[in-house]
Amino acid sequence: MYKRMLVGRDCHGSMPLSSLKPWLQAAPAPQPISASTMPFVLAILLSMCVWMIDTFGNEEQRHRFCPPLCTMEKFASYCLTEPGSGSDAASLLTSAKRQGDHYILNGSKAFISGGGESDIYVVMCRTGGPGPKGISCVVVEKGTPGLSFGKKEKKVGWNSQPTRAVIFEDCAVPVASRIGDEGQGFLIAMKGLNGGRISVASCSLGAAHASVILTRDHLNVRKQFGEPLARNQYLQFKLADMATRLVASRLMIRSAAVALQEGREDAVALCSMAKLFATEECFAICSQALQMHGGYGYLKDYAVQQYVRDSRVHQILEVQREAWGNLIPCRDKGNSCHSHPQLP
């Protein structure tokens, strides 16, 4: 039933948060159902925002913000990306000038998941000079004067998830809403993204897993030349290759998750590697699944096309692949790295 609801919401381009709360509250644990569930599983069950507040916030902030977010009475959005700063997050321009016991925010954030729908916005803004040390983290609540939102973006996928610009125009936020110390925002943002990369990779895994199952079932049912496609050896080999890529991605994600959980020195590199590998391999699985469905795979009545559309953006989120060289250290004759996984 939930999957049918998601397909319908994808077509209509909306997903009321009220329709999600009962299902999520009843769920025993996060599970990679499909890419279609990803936008809200990522934003709620694996929320970077809650982790940031819980880890870096003070006692009053944790008691104020975390309980309603954990029970999903409220929702949060993570605001880092700007129109002029994506992968180069340290160059963000949204300013926060201190006036007494308030910061006055001016600027805008782009591509914000849940923008306009969420109740709480964890915002990275510039309280100091240029570069990463001038960035701080503040919480802005919906309804704060000076906070507004752009139009709902029209996306290739993730249509059940609202994405908007978040705009600050002389938006006064109490200094008491700052998470951590002044200048600590970039560190908070980067540490949060490590878990975010595991989440994005895991969501790709869910889409790929669903695509493999759908393809297996389709090959068993669809007949050509007098027999099921499942008896075609070429297609058997293709399905085996998809399953192998799926398992390899799962193992890599789990390895990175363990490293992050244990606080190991190589956690950053492994999280980055897992995200890079899994999002590309799992998208390839989804694309192959659509191909093996033939013309049916291109119809919106069949879920596999949505997995392809929804999972494509995973290769862009949390730093796109072209910028990974700064995050995945390697050894060569001219370079050594201080936080690398065990490389040959």
Side-chain angles (χ1 to χ4, degrees), residues 263-297:
R264 284 172 18 203
E265 189 179 7
D266 60 355
V268 174
L270 287 174
C271 290
S272 300
M273 288 177 176
K275 192 270 182 183
L276 173 63
F277 182 83
T279 55
E280 294 199 349
E281 290 298 311
C282 290
F283 177 75
I285 291 170
C286 295
S287 181
Q288 183 61 48
L290 189 152
Q291 182 70 24
M292 292 168 71
H293 274 72
Y296 292 102

Side-chain angles (χ1 to χ4, degrees), residues 75-342:
F75 295 82
S77 289
Y78 175 56
C79 301
L80 175 64
T81 301
E82 296 185 0
S85 63
S87 299
D88 182 17
S91 66
L92 66 83
L93 297 175
T94 296
S95 64
K97 305 293 185 183
R98 185 160 181 172
Q99 292 185 8
D101 58 355
H102 283 76
Y103 289 113
I104 308 301
L105 272 64
N106 281 284
S108 64
K109 299 293 181 178
F111 310 125
I112 302 305
S113 301
E117 301 290 337
S118 293
D119 307 285
I120 293 169
Y121 297 86
V122 178
V123 182
M124 302 302 159
C125 52
R126 190 164 298 284
T127 55
K133 293 184 179 180
I135 297 172
S136 298
C137 175
V138 299
V139 173
V140 182
E141 298 184 71
K142 189 176 183 179
T144 301
L147 172 65
S148 61
F149 307 96
K151 65 177 179 62
K152 185 173 180 289
E153 303 289 359
K154 298 177 181 178
K155 307 187 296 292
V156 171
W158 273 28
N159 292 318
S160 58
Q161 175 241 51
T163 300
R164 294 184 177 89
V166 176
I167 304 164
F168 307 97
E169 297 174 297
D170 292 329
C171 181
V173 180
V175 172
S177 294
R178 187 188 68 227
I179 304 298
D181 299 326
E182 274 201 4
Q184 197 178 14
F186 189 78
L187 171 67
I188 295 172
M190 294 302 103
K191 284 186 175 292
L193 286 176
N194 291 329
R197 287 170 187 137
I198 293 293
S199 296
V200 170
S202 298
C203 294
S204 289
L205 193 67
H209 179 86
S211 295
V212 169
I213 298 299
L214 286 175
T215 303
R216 179 201 64 188
D217 294 345
H218 178 76
L219 295 182
N220 282 322
V221 172
R222 176 69 169 163
K223 291 185 177 181
Q224 288 290 281
F225 307 106
E227 61 180 13
L229 291 177
R231 295 184 182 177
N232 182 293
Q233 191 176 56
Y234 174 80
L235 296 178
Q236 291 173 3
F237 287 169
K238 280 292 185 182
L239 192 61
D241 179 71
M242 292 160 65
T244 302
R245 291 181 173 193
L246 178 68
V247 172
S249 297
R250 181 179 291 119
L251 292 174
M252 198 162 189
I253 293 168
R254 287 179 178 175
S255 176
V258 169
L260 185 62
Q261 183 73 23
E262 295 178 348
R264 284 172 18 203
E265 189 179 7
D266 60 355
V268 174
L270 287 174
C271 290
S272 300
M273 288 177 176
K275 192 270 182 183
L276 173 63
F277 182 83
T279 55
E280 294 199 349
E281 290 298 311
C282 290
F283 177 75
I285 291 170
C286 295
S287 181
Q288 183 61 48
L290 189 152
Q291 182 70 24
M292 292 168 71
H293 274 72
Y296 292 102
Y298 205 65
L299 300 179
K300 286 203 170 184
D301 292 328
Y302 287 73
V304 67
Q305 53 77 29
Q306 187 175 342
Y307 300 155
V308 173
R309 290 186 292 106
D310 284 354
S311 63
R312 178 59 183 88
V313 75
H314 299 174
Q315 297 174 62
I316 300 173
L317 296 172
E318 318 292 23
V319 181
Q320 63 191 71
R321 74 179 312 280
E322 288 76 10
W324 282 118
N326 295 325
L327 295 170
I328 301 177
C330 61
R331 284 180 168 177
D332 59 34
K333 293 181 180 179
N335 295 288
S336 62
C337 51
H338 62 277
S339 59
H340 59 83
Q342 296 301 314

